[in-house]
Amino acid sequence: MSESDRVIFSGYRRPSLESGDYEIGVSQQVSLDGVPFGVTRAFTVSGDRFTLPPSAIREVFPPAGSLGDHSDVLPHIVLDRPTLPWERDVLPHGGSSGDRPPWLALLVFSADESPVPAVVTLGALGAGPALFPAVTLERHQAAGDQATVIDVPSELLRTLLPSYDELRHLAHVRSGDGPDAALVVAGRLPAPGVSTVVHLVSLEGRFSVTADGRTEFGFGDPGSLVRLVTLANWRFACVDESQTFSRMVYDLGSDRGTFRLPRSGEPRADAFLDQGFVPARHHLRQGARGVAWYRGPLTTGPMDGGPVTPVRDPDALLRFHPEVGMFDVGYAAAWQLGRLLVLSSGDTATGLYRWRRRRAQSRRRRERDDYPLAVPDIDDALPRGVLDWLAALARLEGVPLAYLVPDERLLPVETIRFFGVDQQWVRHLVDGAYSVGRLSRADAELDAADPLPLAYTPVTGALIRSDIVSGYPGLLVDAYADAAGTRPLPSPRTARLTPDILLCLFDGVLARLDLHRSPESRHFAVELSEDEKSFTKALRPAGDDDAPATSRTRRLPLGPLRTVPVGGLVSAMCDALGVVMEEFTAGDFAVQMVETSERVTFLA
């Protein structure tokens, strides 16, 4: 397993200060008069309680809107703040201690069971027929604030909701290459062939300790409704086996297309199409209209013709091809785009113009040896902010998608396209931005004599247009200079241009590309029997989430409505591994439940 795939599972992470109202007091006594002085101040740790911002959710699995066959997978949600599931208590007044269960849980509903969410005010949470305990609002909350709720039949909730002890094993923290994250896992398998809705619900203060010492949820009387605050929800369906991650990634390369349009049958046009050009509308300065050839920075292979001559207007870069009677406007468009982008960045354009003035003043002063006054030197170094902006532009940051993919047919839906970067196009793009304040031929000659300190090394990359991009935010891309995958390539930029288009650039010539999910987002799954009424789970040696299985749990029956008996599964794991159940944490459970990372390789 590579270091990029290494992940650490922790049972829980408690916050330094839990959500709630606090008081802090300070006292002081001076020995001269002996009169003590003290002051008390109140403050609130206002953690999430009745709502959850979308930014707090990093990823869900199965992806929202997915149609893949996930009937053997336990849905999960990845939360950006690793302490979130343990910031509140499921017992009233914070009665839990030690390794307490999370206050968040995932409930899985089939479409015919799914309750309809409703928006109510906090003051009305306990109103109506549905059971909801009295709520004490915190200092920053008001009765008029809103929350989204679902009313669930008591008997259905008894079946779906894990027990107090089972909840402990259904949330954990994962640490990998990226920021740490908390995961909350459901305890029910989605039903095949139907739509499924998953709700992240709050269980704050909903459990209580009975007279005989058991900790139970307040379900109310049979036939009643129980109200739950829902903080997030998403929908998917288990209907198509081809919609799994590995199958969708594999299918990206099925057409084996290249980053160019198909041939037209006209030899003179095909000579341009084969090089990646596309026909584009061309508006001339005199008002005439025509069709010209355009090619952006992404080509069928890396290109670089060396340094370019600074110009003062884009017309100098138009190239006319008399054999077809058409202009090539690619480099002219790059220059004009660079100029427009820098002018839209006011601070960069201003900084560049002022630097030009300082450079000119410094040059004139050096040319005069008889200057009568002693004056300080003029700083004629290009400002770091300007240079950083131009370097980002050289990575194609800010370049609109239409300039990168000028024709949609270059990048069909559910495809991957490999390309090389035309560094001549990039050089003209940067020169257009650098041209601000270049007014005369002398200015252009001075720019040619004083080139920008930017390196233009060979760059290749890939464009992916697929539901994989939007459905799997944790998608990772690894590039290599050899087919064996021993020489990794650095990536100066990886960016989502649209929700379903991913751009990846690599320094060097790409030979192999691997796509896989981040280790933090790998899912839980079980092995179902043919009749899908029982299951088992292959087990790894303790502490290695990517090691091959060395043992297996005994076969366990699924609970009602395809619920997984988490307590029974934990017990079976402990028996098979020979460990003490009291020492088996949520992190240990996650190591056994997580699936091996799927990796699909493309040879460019």
Side-chain angles (χ1 to χ4, degrees):
M1 180 174 59
S2 68
E3 286 301 317
S4 64
D5 288 336
R6 181 70 60 183
V7 59
I8 299 173
F9 298 88
S10 305
Y12 63 94
R13 184 174 299 177
R14 297 281 291 272
S16 300
L17 274 181
E18 299 176 8
S19 300
D21 297 328
Y22 292 85
E23 286 187 349
I24 183 171
V26 178
S27 62
Q28 182 183 34
Q29 185 172 353
V30 181
S31 59
L32 292 178
D33 56 14
V35 178
F37 170 77
V39 64
T40 301
R41 293 288 185 266
F43 69 95
T44 300
V45 178
S46 55
D48 300 300
R49 189 181 187 190
F50 297 110
T51 58
L52 194 64
S55 59
I57 300 172
R58 187 180 300 179
E59 186 177 356
V60 298
F61 188 86
S66 170
L67 301 177
D69 183 10
H70 303 293
S71 57
D72 61 346
V73 170
L74 294 174
H76 74 249
I77 187 168
V78 184
L79 302 172
D80 204 53
R81 193 163 70 248
T83 60
L84 181 56
W86 300 276
E87 291 176 2
R88 296 186 180 275
D89 202 328
V90 297
L91 290 179
H93 314 298
S96 299
S97 61
D99 182 12
R100 71 184 188 196
W103 66 283
L104 300 175
L106 281 184
L107 297 183
V108 178
F109 299 93
S110 294
D112 58 340
E113 306 164 347
S114 180
V116 178
V119 177
V120 301
T121 63
L122 300 187
L125 281 174
L131 177 64
F132 195 89
V135 175
T136 301
L137 299 182
E138 295 172 355
R139 192 187 308 274
H140 64 288
Q141 296 164 346
D145 294 344
Q146 294 183 330
T148 303
V149 299
I150 53 175
D151 294 341
V152 186
S154 174
E155 294 306 309
L156 176 61
L157 188 59
R158 284 181 183 273
T159 301
L160 301 184
L161 186 67
S163 69
Y164 180 84
D165 291 326
E166 289 178 332
L167 284 173
R168 284 193 174 93
H169 292 92
L170 294 178
H172 62 276
V173 177
R174 294 188 189 178
S175 307
D177 265 359
D180 295 356
L183 274 82
V184 180
V185 186
R188 181 189 184 185
L189 300 175
V194 299
S195 179
T196 298
V197 181
V198 185
H199 283 272
L200 178 69
V201 300
S202 166
L203 302 179
E204 182 190 11
R206 303 303 293 268
F207 283 81
S208 59
V209 180
T210 62
D212 56 359
R214 293 178 293 113
T215 306
E216 294 188 348
F217 186 89
F219 291 103
D221 298 328
S224 62
L225 293 175
V226 180
R227 175 162 292 180
L228 298 170
V229 174
T230 175
L231 303 173
N233 68 85
W234 76 98
R235 181 185 297 267
F236 60 91
C238 301
V239 295
D240 190 350
E241 293 183 359
S242 67
Q243 293 293 306
T244 60
F245 175 83
S246 57
R247 184 73 248 179
M248 291 177 68
V249 174
Y250 180 82
D251 288 344
L252 291 177
S254 60
D255 69 340
R256 301 183 180 276
T258 55
F259 198 71
R260 57 190 173 196
L261 295 181
R263 289 192 163 198
S264 65
E266 167 56 49
R268 290 178 297 178
D270 289 344
F272 287 88
L273 295 174
D274 290 346
Q275 299 177 63
F277 286 91
V278 300
R281 294 188 181 92
H282 185 204
H283 298 266
L284 301 176
R285 290 188 183 276
Q286 295 78 13
R289 298 182 180 183
V291 177
W293 291 112
Y294 172 81
R295 184 178 64 191
L298 312 184
T299 66
T300 54
M303 300 171 55
D304 191 359
V308 299
T309 302
V311 299
R312 288 181 289 157
D313 63 76
D315 289 351
L317 299 175
L318 290 173
R319 295 185 293 181
F320 184 70
H321 296 274
E323 68 275 14
V324 291
M326 296 171 65
F327 282 100
D328 172 4
V329 299
Y331 292 161
W335 193 95
Q336 185 66 29
L337 174 63
R339 189 174 180 88
L340 292 173
L341 288 175
V342 75
L343 289 175
S344 67
S345 177
D347 292 343
T348 304
T350 302
L352 183 58
Y353 182 74
R354 290 175 176 172
W355 168 76
R356 285 186 176 278
R357 293 183 61 187
R358 293 196 304 272
R359 184 181 66 169
Q361 292 170 356
S362 177
R363 187 179 182 88
R364 286 195 299 268
R365 182 177 295 179
R366 288 196 300 268
E367 292 174 350
R368 291 191 58 179
D369 297 331
D370 58 343
Y371 200 79
L373 300 177
V375 294
D377 293 335
I378 298 176
D379 181 10
D380 60 354
L382 187 65
R384 170 54 59 181
V386 174
L387 185 59
D388 289 345
W389 190 93
L390 293 172
L393 185 64
R395 298 191 295 269
L396 305 179
E397 294 185 20
V399 176
L401 178 61
Y403 282 80
L404 303 176
V405 187
D407 192 306
E408 189 176 9
R409 292 173 294 173
L410 292 171
L411 187 64
V413 176
E414 297 300 328
T415 57
I416 184 171
R417 291 290 183 263
F418 298 100
F419 59 80
V421 173
D422 181 0
Q423 292 290 14
Q424 289 291 101
W425 197 99
V426 176
R427 290 174 188 267
H428 287 300
L429 173 74
V430 174
D431 184 60
Y434 189 47
S435 70
V436 169
R438 185 187 294 161
L439 304 178
S440 63
R441 181 178 299 176
D443 292 332
E445 293 173 352
L446 186 57
D447 286 345
D450 188 22
L452 289 169
L454 296 178
Y456 295 92
T457 57
V459 176
T460 54
L463 272 171
I464 303 172
R465 184 182 182 187
S466 170
D467 288 339
I468 286 286
V469 177
S470 57
Y472 294 87
L475 180 67
L476 296 181
V477 182
D478 297 333
Y480 302 92
D482 62 322
T486 60
R487 294 158 50 201
L489 294 176
S491 176
R493 186 183 178 208
T494 299
R496 281 173 169 78
L497 305 181
T498 70
D500 65 341
I501 296 181
L502 182 69
L503 169 69
C504 305
L505 299 179
F506 307 105
D507 289 330
V509 179
L510 178 66
R512 167 178 166 171
L513 189 78
D514 288 2
L515 299 184
H516 59 109
R517 297 179 61 201
S518 66
E520 294 88 355
S521 61
R522 286 154 55 181
H523 60 273
F524 284 5
V526 297
E527 302 165 42
L528 293 171
S529 60
E530 290 189 9
D531 60 5
E532 297 194 357
K533 293 183 179 180
S534 62
F535 70 96
T536 185
K537 182 64 183 177
L539 303 178
R540 305 178 175 91
D544 193 344
D545 61 288
D546 219 31
T550 57
S551 58
R552 183 177 296 276
T553 67
R554 62 179 180 272
R555 185 160 296 278
L556 299 168
L558 280 178
L561 301 179
R562 296 173 62 86
T563 54
V564 173
V566 176
L569 179 56
V570 170
S571 176
M573 286 181 176
C574 293
D575 291 343
L577 296 172
V579 299
V580 179
M581 190 168 178
E582 288 73 16
E583 299 176 357
F584 195 73
T585 68
D588 299 324
F589 183 68
V591 168
Q592 301 302 332
M593 290 296 296
V594 72
E595 290 293 286
T596 303
S597 180
E598 300 168 298
R599 181 182 289 261
V600 180
T601 297
F602 296 90
L603 298 180

mmCIF file of all heavy atoms in Angstrom, residues 12 37 73 77-78 81 93 98 128 135-136 139 260 345 347 391 400 408 415 437 469 490 514 542 592:
data_model
loop_
_atom_site.group_PDB
_atom_site.id
_atom_site.type_symbol
_atom_site.label_atom_id
_atom_site.label_comp_id
_atom_site.label_asym_id
_atom_site.label_seq_id
_atom_site.Cartn_x
_atom_site.Cartn_y
_atom_site.Cartn_z
ATOM 1 N N TYR A 12 -12.835 7.765 18.345
ATOM 2 C CA TYR A 12 -13.590 9.001 18.550
ATOM 3 C C TYR A 12 -12.607 10.133 18.762
ATOM 4 O O TYR A 12 -11.399 9.905 18.977
ATOM 5 C CB TYR A 12 -14.540 8.892 19.743
ATOM 6 C CG TYR A 12 -13.850 8.690 21.069
ATOM 7 C CD1 TYR A 12 -13.542 9.767 21.891
ATOM 8 C CD2 TYR A 12 -13.515 7.405 21.509
ATOM 9 C CE1 TYR A 12 -12.899 9.580 23.114
ATOM 10 C CE2 TYR A 12 -12.878 7.209 22.721
ATOM 11 C CZ TYR A 12 -12.568 8.306 23.519
ATOM 12 O OH TYR A 12 -11.933 8.120 24.715
ATOM 13 N N PHE A 37 -11.029 41.195 44.534
ATOM 14 C CA PHE A 37 -11.785 41.696 43.379
ATOM 15 C C PHE A 37 -12.005 40.511 42.431
ATOM 16 O O PHE A 37 -11.062 39.758 42.143
ATOM 17 C CB PHE A 37 -11.016 42.794 42.656
ATOM 18 C CG PHE A 37 -11.622 43.184 41.337
ATOM 19 C CD1 PHE A 37 -12.745 43.992 41.279
ATOM 20 C CD2 PHE A 37 -11.094 42.706 40.143
ATOM 21 C CE1 PHE A 37 -13.307 44.329 40.060
ATOM 22 C CE2 PHE A 37 -11.657 43.035 38.925
ATOM 23 C CZ PHE A 37 -12.769 43.855 38.892
ATOM 24 N N VAL A 73 -23.673 -2.456 0.761
ATOM 25 C CA VAL A 73 -22.860 -1.382 1.322
ATOM 26 C C VAL A 73 -23.643 -0.642 2.396
ATOM 27 O O VAL A 73 -24.846 -0.382 2.235
ATOM 28 C CB VAL A 73 -22.437 -0.393 0.207
ATOM 29 C CG1 VAL A 73 -21.813 0.856 0.802
ATOM 30 C CG2 VAL A 73 -21.463 -1.069 -0.753
ATOM 31 N N ILE A 77 -21.518 9.085 5.720
ATOM 32 C CA ILE A 77 -21.340 10.502 5.453
ATOM 33 C C ILE A 77 -20.016 10.928 6.061
ATOM 34 O O ILE A 77 -19.655 10.488 7.167
ATOM 35 C CB ILE A 77 -22.514 11.330 6.013
ATOM 36 C CG1 ILE A 77 -22.414 12.803 5.575
ATOM 37 C CG2 ILE A 77 -22.603 11.235 7.523
ATOM 38 C CD1 ILE A 77 -23.684 13.600 5.853
ATOM 39 N N VAL A 78 -19.252 11.741 5.338
ATOM 40 C CA VAL A 78 -17.961 12.239 5.799
ATOM 41 C C VAL A 78 -18.145 13.686 6.234
ATOM 42 O O VAL A 78 -18.577 14.529 5.446
ATOM 43 C CB VAL A 78 -16.897 12.149 4.691
ATOM 44 C CG1 VAL A 78 -15.535 12.588 5.224
ATOM 45 C CG2 VAL A 78 -16.817 10.734 4.134
ATOM 46 N N ARG A 81 -15.479 18.339 10.102
ATOM 47 C CA ARG A 81 -14.918 18.581 11.432
ATOM 48 C C ARG A 81 -14.843 17.265 12.189
ATOM 49 O O ARG A 81 -15.872 16.661 12.506
ATOM 50 C CB ARG A 81 -15.771 19.600 12.174
ATOM 51 C CG ARG A 81 -15.108 20.146 13.435
ATOM 52 C CD ARG A 81 -15.749 21.417 13.942
ATOM 53 N NE ARG A 81 -17.076 21.227 14.497
ATOM 54 C CZ ARG A 81 -18.195 21.696 13.958
ATOM 55 N NH1 ARG A 81 -18.150 22.383 12.825
ATOM 56 N NH2 ARG A 81 -19.362 21.506 14.527
ATOM 57 N N HIS A 93 -28.498 16.391 29.699
ATOM 58 C CA HIS A 93 -27.595 17.059 30.631
ATOM 59 C C HIS A 93 -26.202 16.447 30.633
ATOM 60 O O HIS A 93 -25.499 16.467 31.642
ATOM 61 C CB HIS A 93 -28.159 17.031 32.051
ATOM 62 C CG HIS A 93 -29.616 17.409 32.133
ATOM 63 N ND1 HIS A 93 -30.080 18.658 31.752
ATOM 64 C CD2 HIS A 93 -30.711 16.692 32.512
ATOM 65 C CE1 HIS A 93 -31.396 18.703 31.907
ATOM 66 N NE2 HIS A 93 -31.807 17.525 32.354
ATOM 67 N N GLY A 98 -16.608 9.005 29.184
ATOM 68 C CA GLY A 98 -15.675 8.110 28.517
ATOM 69 C C GLY A 98 -15.954 8.009 27.025
ATOM 70 O O GLY A 98 -16.232 8.991 26.351
ATOM 71 N N GLY A 128 -47.670 19.255 18.192
ATOM 72 C CA GLY A 128 -48.220 18.260 17.291
ATOM 73 C C GLY A 128 -48.192 16.876 17.888
ATOM 74 O O GLY A 128 -47.747 16.663 19.029
ATOM 75 N N VAL A 135 -37.002 21.080 24.925
ATOM 76 C CA VAL A 135 -35.670 21.529 24.538
ATOM 77 C C VAL A 135 -35.336 22.812 25.282
ATOM 78 O O VAL A 135 -36.152 23.737 25.340
ATOM 79 C CB VAL A 135 -35.584 21.772 23.013
ATOM 80 C CG1 VAL A 135 -34.229 22.353 22.641
ATOM 81 C CG2 VAL A 135 -35.809 20.468 22.267
ATOM 82 N N THR A 136 -34.145 22.857 25.843
ATOM 83 C CA THR A 136 -33.637 24.089 26.442
ATOM 84 C C THR A 136 -32.721 24.756 25.427
ATOM 85 O O THR A 136 -31.678 24.185 25.050
ATOM 86 C CB THR A 136 -32.858 23.800 27.734
ATOM 87 O OG1 THR A 136 -33.720 23.139 28.664
ATOM 88 C CG2 THR A 136 -32.332 25.088 28.348
ATOM 89 N N ARG A 139 -27.878 30.096 24.508
ATOM 90 C CA ARG A 139 -27.890 31.548 24.510
ATOM 91 C C ARG A 139 -28.043 32.146 23.104
ATOM 92 O O ARG A 139 -28.702 33.159 22.893
ATOM 93 C CB ARG A 139 -26.598 32.053 25.159
ATOM 94 C CG ARG A 139 -26.597 33.540 25.482
ATOM 95 C CD ARG A 139 -25.211 33.953 25.956
ATOM 96 N NE ARG A 139 -24.725 33.090 27.029
ATOM 97 C CZ ARG A 139 -24.995 33.289 28.307
ATOM 98 N NH1 ARG A 139 -25.752 34.307 28.681
ATOM 99 N NH2 ARG A 139 -24.510 32.470 29.223
ATOM 100 N N ARG A 260 -9.250 15.516 -30.293
ATOM 101 C CA ARG A 260 -9.411 16.161 -31.590
ATOM 102 C C ARG A 260 -10.729 15.710 -32.193
ATOM 103 O O ARG A 260 -11.295 14.674 -31.812
ATOM 104 C CB ARG A 260 -8.252 15.835 -32.528
ATOM 105 C CG ARG A 260 -8.034 14.356 -32.761
ATOM 106 C CD ARG A 260 -6.732 14.107 -33.498
ATOM 107 N NE ARG A 260 -6.411 12.696 -33.601
ATOM 108 C CZ ARG A 260 -5.215 12.229 -33.907
ATOM 109 N NH1 ARG A 260 -4.224 13.068 -34.148
ATOM 110 N NH2 ARG A 260 -4.992 10.930 -33.981
ATOM 111 N N SER A 345 -8.002 41.892 -13.166
ATOM 112 C CA SER A 345 -7.389 41.787 -11.843
ATOM 113 C C SER A 345 -6.711 43.121 -11.553
ATOM 114 O O SER A 345 -5.531 43.319 -11.860
ATOM 115 C CB SER A 345 -6.376 40.636 -11.805
ATOM 116 O OG SER A 345 -5.731 40.584 -10.561
ATOM 117 N N ASP A 347 -5.495 44.853 -9.002
ATOM 118 C CA ASP A 347 -4.258 44.980 -8.235
ATOM 119 C C ASP A 347 -3.058 44.510 -9.043
ATOM 120 O O ASP A 347 -1.981 45.130 -8.999
ATOM 121 C CB ASP A 347 -4.359 44.177 -6.943
ATOM 122 C CG ASP A 347 -5.364 44.772 -5.968
ATOM 123 O OD1 ASP A 347 -5.731 45.946 -6.156
ATOM 124 O OD2 ASP A 347 -5.779 44.060 -5.037
ATOM 125 N N ALA A 391 2.542 33.292 -12.796
ATOM 126 C CA ALA A 391 2.851 31.862 -12.706
ATOM 127 C C ALA A 391 1.576 31.035 -12.646
ATOM 128 O O ALA A 391 1.482 29.960 -13.247
ATOM 129 C CB ALA A 391 3.729 31.596 -11.481
ATOM 130 N N PRO A 400 -10.978 30.408 -19.205
ATOM 131 C CA PRO A 400 -12.332 29.846 -19.308
ATOM 132 C C PRO A 400 -12.339 28.488 -20.001
ATOM 133 O O PRO A 400 -11.474 28.188 -20.838
ATOM 134 C CB PRO A 400 -13.102 30.900 -20.121
ATOM 135 C CG PRO A 400 -12.325 32.169 -19.942
ATOM 136 C CD PRO A 400 -10.888 31.744 -19.833
ATOM 137 N N GLU A 408 -17.580 20.962 -27.827
ATOM 138 C CA GLU A 408 -18.000 19.933 -26.879
ATOM 139 C C GLU A 408 -17.671 18.536 -27.369
ATOM 140 O O GLU A 408 -17.482 17.615 -26.565
ATOM 141 C CB GLU A 408 -19.500 20.065 -26.612
ATOM 142 C CG GLU A 408 -19.997 19.187 -25.489
ATOM 143 C CD GLU A 408 -21.465 19.404 -25.177
ATOM 144 O OE1 GLU A 408 -22.126 20.125 -25.955
ATOM 145 O OE2 GLU A 408 -21.941 18.866 -24.168
ATOM 146 N N THR A 415 -16.143 10.371 -20.567
ATOM 147 C CA THR A 415 -14.899 10.049 -21.272
ATOM 148 C C THR A 415 -13.720 10.658 -20.521
ATOM 149 O O THR A 415 -13.872 11.549 -19.690
ATOM 150 C CB THR A 415 -14.887 10.598 -22.717
ATOM 151 O OG1 THR A 415 -15.092 12.019 -22.690
ATOM 152 C CG2 THR A 415 -15.957 9.934 -23.568
ATOM 153 N N GLY A 437 0.964 48.263 -20.233
ATOM 154 C CA GLY A 437 1.968 49.325 -20.173
ATOM 155 C C GLY A 437 2.996 49.250 -21.286
ATOM 156 O O GLY A 437 3.898 50.090 -21.347
ATOM 157 N N VAL A 469 -16.759 12.604 -11.270
ATOM 158 C CA VAL A 469 -16.176 13.833 -10.729
ATOM 159 C C VAL A 469 -17.094 14.458 -9.692
ATOM 160 O O VAL A 469 -16.652 14.874 -8.617
ATOM 161 C CB VAL A 469 -15.876 14.823 -11.869
ATOM 162 C CG1 VAL A 469 -15.342 16.141 -11.321
ATOM 163 C CG2 VAL A 469 -14.886 14.218 -12.860
ATOM 164 N N PRO A 490 4.849 15.155 -10.570
ATOM 165 C CA PRO A 490 4.177 16.182 -9.756
ATOM 166 C C PRO A 490 3.042 16.825 -10.527
ATOM 167 O O PRO A 490 3.076 16.911 -11.762
ATOM 168 C CB PRO A 490 5.295 17.188 -9.462
ATOM 169 C CG PRO A 490 6.281 16.996 -10.572
ATOM 170 C CD PRO A 490 6.209 15.549 -10.959
ATOM 171 N N ASP A 514 -3.558 6.729 -12.689
ATOM 172 C CA ASP A 514 -4.358 5.904 -11.791
ATOM 173 C C ASP A 514 -5.449 6.750 -11.152
ATOM 174 O O ASP A 514 -5.174 7.847 -10.654
ATOM 175 C CB ASP A 514 -3.491 5.311 -10.677
ATOM 176 C CG ASP A 514 -2.564 4.218 -11.178
ATOM 177 O OD1 ASP A 514 -2.568 3.956 -12.396
ATOM 178 O OD2 ASP A 514 -1.826 3.637 -10.354
ATOM 179 N N ALA A 542 -5.324 -7.411 12.831
ATOM 180 C CA ALA A 542 -5.612 -6.165 13.520
ATOM 181 C C ALA A 542 -4.568 -5.111 13.177
ATOM 182 O O ALA A 542 -3.361 -5.382 13.190
ATOM 183 C CB ALA A 542 -5.652 -6.395 15.029
ATOM 184 N N GLN A 592 -11.870 -3.453 10.102
ATOM 185 C CA GLN A 592 -12.392 -4.711 9.585
ATOM 186 C C GLN A 592 -13.480 -4.504 8.533
ATOM 187 O O GLN A 592 -13.615 -5.307 7.608
ATOM 188 C CB GLN A 592 -12.925 -5.575 10.737
ATOM 189 C CG GLN A 592 -11.895 -5.906 11.796
ATOM 190 C CD GLN A 592 -10.693 -6.627 11.220
ATOM 191 O OE1 GLN A 592 -10.775 -7.336 10.202
ATOM 192 N NE2 GLN A 592 -9.545 -6.450 11.867
#
